[in-house]
Amino acid sequence: MSPQSRISLQQACNQALDEAMAADESVILLGEDIGDREGGGTFKVTSGLSTKYGTSRVRTTPISEQAIVGSAVGAAIAGLRPVAEIMLMNFVTVAMDQLVNHAAKLRFMSGGQTHVPLTVRTATGAGGGFGGQHSDMLEAWLAHVPGLTVVVPSSPAEAKGLLLSCVFDDDPCVFVENNQMYWDKGPAPEPGLRIPLRKAHVARAGTDVSVITYGRPVGQVLALAEQLAGDGISVEVVDLRTVSPLDSRTVLESVAKTRRAVIVHEAVGQFGVGAEVSARIGEELGGELHSPVIRVTSANTPVPFSPTLEKAYLYQIGDVETAIRKVAS
Amino acid sequence: MTDEAGLLGIYRTAVRINRADEKLRGLLTSGELAVSYYSPRGQEVVAAGMMSRLRAEDYLVTTYRGIHDQIAKGIPLEPLFAELFGRVDGTCKGKGGPMHVTQPETGVMVTTGVVGSGLPIAVGLGLAAQVRGQDRVTVVCFGDGASNIGAFHEALNMAALWRLPVVFLCQNNRYAESTRYSDGTTVERIAQRAASYGIPGVTVDGNNAGEMAEAASQAVARARAGEGPTLLEAMTYRFMGHYFGDAGAYMDADEFVAAQAADPVPALRKELLRAGISTEEELTALENEEQAAVDSAAAFAKASALPGVDELRRDVYREEVVA
Ligand SMILES: Cc1ncc(C[n+]2csc(CCOP(=O)(O)OP(=O)(O)O)c2C)c(N)n1
Ligand SMILES: [Mg+2]
């Protein structure tokens, strides 16, 4: 693959699954409509895989979220590496029992005798006019549960490397694909590249302000940082990659250097990932900050339908700029 | 048909369960043990009969009311009791407790405290066996009440669809906590629900060892042969209320008295004597052996150490959690 080749997020996830299935027979896929006969998945992420690997390993399931995640938990404790697709993140709520009470806790409650090498892939994101039940970023729900690993990739290359790591991790991972990013292309990674889990990434080094973010805003914040560099503001961008367990160390090292922090995410602000990050910064570095931490998030409302409202709901990159300028002043 | 050795084996297991349960209730009464405990008293023969048809490598998923299933599947009493005491020699180092007993080496993969949640997990264990071409069978135990939760239906449908090697064993003890069967369920038999998934649904007298073992044999054979799941409903009765300390004031008195009179463990004993399978002396010796094993397991558990607090951060993830 030439270094300048470009792939979409949808292609990146498809390639990661393909590589994982080719590398390890214990990788199986479960989900609604994921087989080629059903079109290869709602977002075509599993396209071609049932044809290539067969319908024993790539199983289109009934509409049974509890049984999809629950059977994936069972298959995982028996030693397979199931990847379950939950069509949209709001439907993960239907399978919360299996994630929260079982996947997350079986290693612990069994005293380490069993473990759950399961990946749940799911898609979501506001901005597509899907309304209140098909757009929520619910990663904070899952991040609250010790035992789960919650990953939100920020680009096609990041998605591929992180998804491969999720599949081969020995603990349950939830991998959140932003469906508003599926068709945007970015540079392709080297084949086989894996990106470590539970480790944040300094996506851009800077000295004045740390912006801590993950998922869709990362690309926008990187572009904003370039623009602000022209105005003499040096922005460091930390891409959390894994939301939970949180890599506090990378966040704190960045903020210890800049002493100014802005946190950006697509999910609503209340009781969110930003609140946790802000608390950890406050606990460790409170006295050393030049300015209070600012969070820029989506509004504390359901995702609305009408485009004007949906736009107003989403985090505003203009607010990120205002926040950076404010803490930097 | 269940042969003589089969029935005697079931009796030994039933006695072990019965004595273990009695011991634990004694320890709870004396205050030496303080846990939430859901007695399987009255359901001994269901578990002993079912598990007598399994191999060691077959999988079991059960519930909070699961000590009979766990013992019958083969978990030794010492680590089992130590787990109930929260001790380091417990099956799970004391980190699971009575509601989460696990021991993969005897096939006990999950014990769940969430009603109905074991069924989808059992589907996954069956799926793993099928994908790998193994002839391993998974049995999942649950109550009559659990058959009203959504996961039951999702799991049966999925297992039927993929013809998975799973035996769904509903232990119908007539109550879900304090709600009578007929106040929560309209079908006369849980097994009728199998028709919705196009699989066999069988109701047996779970307290009759021969009948129970025979029905279990058929369901296991069907699963092992790749013919798919069975919904097996074992009619039984809950002698000790929902949880230890529940007087069961809401239970029907006549029904309760009748069930006690048909106590399955003495009934099986009588049958072994009547059929000339065993002598009084042999059975007394067997009972004494099981009682001794139970007593020594309790002593073992009490003498076992509590886990060190360093265990708190272990087994959350593969890597230890940092403070
Ligand atoms: C999802 C869920 N809802 C409620 C409970 C509380 N609860 C524990 S046991 C029980 C009754 C279950 O009855 P049944 O399935 O018949 O099993 P049994 O206790 O009779 O063995 C209930 C309601 C629970 N543990 N999980
Ligand atoms: Mg019941």
Side-chain angles (χ1 to χ4, degrees), chain A residues 59-60 62 64-67 70-71 74-75 77-79 97-98 102 107-113 147-149 170-171 245, chain B residues 91-93 95-96 100 102 104 110 112 114 117 120-121 124-125 127-128 130 132 151 154 157 162 312 314-315 317-318:
Chain A
R59 295 198 182 213
T60 291
S64 303
E65 278 73 13
Q66 295 186 68
S71 66
I77 59 176
D97 165 50
Q98 287 297 339
H102 298 90
R107 181 192 281 278
F108 187 84
M109 297 193 307
S110 73
Q113 294 175 101
L148 294 180
T149 294
D170 283 338
D171 289 302
Chain B
T91 51
C92 311
K93 299 185 280 188
K95 297 170 83 164
H100 306 301
T102 305
V110 175
T112 183
V114 184
S117 297
I121 296 176
L125 291 165
L127 174 63
Q130 187 186 70
R132 289 166 154 167
E154 293 192 12
N157 184 55
W162 294 340
L312 183 61
R314 288 195 195 130
D315 307 320
Y317 298 92
R318 189 185 152 127

Side-chain angles (χ1 to χ4, degrees), chain A residues 277-293:
Chain A
V277 172
S278 176
R280 294 204 194 185
I281 293 169
E283 282 161 4
E284 294 296 323
L285 301 168
E288 298 164 40
L289 296 180
H290 290 320
S291 175
V293 175

Side-chain angles (χ1 to χ4, degrees), chain B residues 143-145 171 173-176:
Chain B
D144 44 296
Q171 302 190 15
N173 61 12
R174 325 291 173 99
Y175 286 86

Side-chain angles (χ1 to χ4, degrees), chain A residues 167-188:
Chain A
V167 175
F168 291 107
D169 194 61
D170 283 338
D171 289 302
C173 297
V174 180
F175 187 82
V176 185
E177 297 160 19
N178 195 306
N179 58 31
Q180 297 301 302
M181 296 163 68
Y182 266 138
W183 316 107
D184 296 341
K185 292 199 170 183

Side-chain angles (χ1 to χ4, degrees), chain B residues 69-295:
Chain B
D69 302 327
Q70 293 146 2
I71 290 172
K73 188 65 181 69
I75 295 191
L77 294 174
E78 293 186 350
L80 180 64
F81 275 37
E83 188 61 29
L84 268 61
F85 274 82
R87 304 301 165 99
V88 75
D89 295 310
T91 51
C92 311
K93 299 185 280 188
K95 297 170 83 164
M99 272 203 227
H100 306 301
V101 170
T102 305
Q103 196 187 55
E105 67 204 74
T106 51
V108 182
M109 301 303 283
V110 175
T111 298
T112 183
V114 184
V115 168
S117 297
L119 285 86
I121 296 176
V123 168
L125 291 165
L127 174 63
Q130 187 186 70
V131 167
R132 289 166 154 167
Q134 298 169 333
D135 70 350
R136 225 166 187 167
V137 171
T138 300
V139 173
V140 54
C141 299
F142 52 94
D144 44 296
S147 73
N148 291 326
I149 208 162
F152 167 94
H153 300 275
E154 293 192 12
L156 262 76
N157 184 55
M158 194 178 268
L161 184 69
W162 294 340
R163 296 167 78 91
L164 296 177
V166 181
V167 178
F168 293 94
L169 177 61
C170 178
Q171 302 190 15
N172 185 344
N173 61 12
R174 325 291 173 99
Y175 286 86
E177 283 200 358
S178 46
T179 302
R180 283 184 201 186
Y181 178 86
S182 55
D183 289 341
T185 310
T186 50
V187 285
E188 200 158 319
R189 294 276 173 253
I190 300 296
Q192 289 170 248
R193 290 182 165 166
S196 304
Y197 313 106
I199 61 171
V202 181
T203 303
V204 288
D205 177 359
N207 289 352
N208 179 307
E211 261 190 53
M212 181 64 220
E214 184 54 33
S217 281
Q218 286 179 19
V220 169
R222 184 177 138 78
R224 220 182 288 290
E227 290 162 17
T230 300
L231 174 57
L232 179 54
E233 178 184 25
M235 301 307 294
T236 185
Y237 201 79
R238 196 190 68 185
F239 282 15
M240 292 292 157
H242 177 55
Y243 54 86
F244 179 79
D246 171 15
Y250 49 85
M251 293 176 80
D252 182 280
D254 293 343
E255 176 195 80
F256 189 79
V257 169
Q260 302 265 324
D263 190 335
V265 183
L268 178 54
R269 188 182 206 278
K270 221 178 270 171
E271 174 59 19
L272 291 169
L273 293 173
R274 190 200 60 76
I277 295 170
S278 312
T279 63
E280 180 65 40
E281 293 67 38
E282 284 164 354
L283 295 182
T284 305
L286 175 159
E287 288 149 4
N288 290 340
E289 278 166 30
E290 294 304 330
Q291 186 63 56
V294 163
D295 292 342

